[in-house]
Amino acid sequence: MDLNVYRLAPNYADNFAISKKNGPESIFEGQALANTGDNDVGRIYTNFAPMPQNEYGQRAYGGFLPTLELYNSYEPGDVRKELYLTGDYTTPAGVKVKVDRPHINKYVDPSGTENNNSNNWPYLRYADVLLMYAEAQNELGNAQEAATYLNQVRNRAKLPNTPAATQAELRQAIEKERRLELAFEGHRWFDLVRTGKLVTTMRAKGKTGIQEYHVLYPVPQRERDVNPSLTQNDGY
């Protein structure tokens, strides 16, 4: 933060636009460039767009879909919700496609083809850093400082300052903001694990198969073969 190199992009959607890769908010992105004949292509949009084809008539897998609960968690006026598309649409080729639930419109590549997209993957954005800092300040008892940085992220989403004031309220508000700001960027699982909320949260959503030992991966058998002193994590 003190480097004064990074800043929030004025428009949230710019972080995912192919024409604005590696923008002011980007700290670390996985790079992809489709239709080059090389192996640096991405498959993000193909996986996220709804089946059987996306808005541009390309085949898609619809492998990652938001729940209605997530979709409805965004406050009125939150511009980030616009990146979840719901309803029917017509492709440029005139094909009518029915969508009966929200899908991720965060990663779009109109010129891509199946498994050949130019979408970068955002491993670390400045918004993530601001929310980490807000969380740290809140845990140190600096509620006002925490709210200041939380509000930077909220205000960019066209939301008012947070009404949270106490440490407990801010803890919950920051956790929710991370979920909404960084949705489908690969952070939620790890946030739940490190805060000890993985099992209760997943079971509340009907994922009854989740167990306490799932907070850790199994130790690979190959590594245990190399080093017999390694033990297996509980549950595996």
Side-chain angles (χ1 to χ4, degrees):
M1 292 164 59
D2 291 341
L3 291 174
N4 293 316
V5 172
Y6 305 102
R7 59 182 175 83
L8 292 177
N11 181 8
Y12 177 76
D14 287 351
N15 289 300
F16 315 101
I18 290 176
S19 61
K20 298 183 179 181
K21 293 181 177 183
N22 305 302
E25 191 169 334
S26 171
I27 299 175
F28 178 37
E29 290 185 19
Q31 306 295 307
L33 187 61
N35 304 312
T36 62
D38 297 323
N39 292 322
D40 52 358
V41 301
R43 297 176 177 84
I44 297 174
Y45 187 40
T46 301
N47 283 310
F48 276 93
M51 296 175 66
Q53 57 188 15
N54 56 39
E55 296 91 325
Y56 304 98
Q58 306 150 1
R59 183 184 175 193
Y61 301 147
F64 305 103
L65 296 171
T67 62
L68 286 173
E69 187 269 335
L70 173 63
Y71 180 79
N72 292 327
S73 294
Y74 288 86
E75 299 173 37
D78 192 327
V79 299
R80 297 170 299 194
K81 190 173 184 177
E82 297 173 4
L83 295 181
Y84 296 124
L85 177 67
T86 186
D88 301 344
Y89 59 82
T90 303
T91 70
V95 178
K96 292 186 179 298
V97 179
K98 181 176 179 57
V99 178
D100 58 2
R101 60 173 292 179
H103 76 272
I104 304 301
N105 211 30
K106 212 171 195 178
Y107 310 101
V108 175
D109 183 2
S111 62
T113 58
E114 181 184 352
N115 293 328
N116 196 358
N117 313 144
S118 292
N119 307 91
N120 281 3
W121 181 258
Y123 286 104
L124 182 61
R125 293 195 284 116
Y126 189 57
D128 189 359
V129 173
L130 292 177
L131 292 174
M132 284 190 237
Y133 187 74
E135 183 178 339
Q137 289 299 318
N138 187 53
E139 295 305 318
L140 290 170
N142 302 324
Q144 185 172 355
E145 183 84 348
T148 296
Y149 289 92
L150 169 61
N151 288 332
Q152 286 188 33
V153 178
R154 285 180 56 83
N155 294 164
R156 195 264 299 271
K158 309 303 181 187
L159 294 175
N161 289 345
T162 180
T166 67
Q167 185 183 59
E169 291 172 345
L170 279 164
R171 186 179 293 129
Q172 184 174 359
I174 294 167
E175 179 182 329
K176 179 181 178 181
E177 202 65 31
R178 286 187 61 81
R179 182 190 184 200
L180 302 183
E181 171 70 23
L182 305 171
F184 289 89
E185 295 180 45
H187 299 277
R188 177 66 171 166
W189 175 275
F190 301 101
D191 283 352
L192 291 174
V193 168
R194 68 182 176 79
T195 56
K197 297 181 178 180
L198 177 67
V199 175
T200 55
T201 299
M202 298 301 288
R203 286 181 178 173
K205 296 180 183 300
K207 305 297 182 181
T208 56
I210 194 80
Q211 302 296 327
E212 294 291 345
Y213 69 83
H214 286 142
V215 300
L216 295 176
Y217 286 116
V219 178
Q221 185 60 47
R222 183 178 64 178
E223 303 305 322
R224 297 188 65 205
D225 291 341
V226 171
N227 183 358
S229 295
L230 288 177
T231 58
Q232 185 56 275
N233 288 329
D234 292 340
Y236 294 102

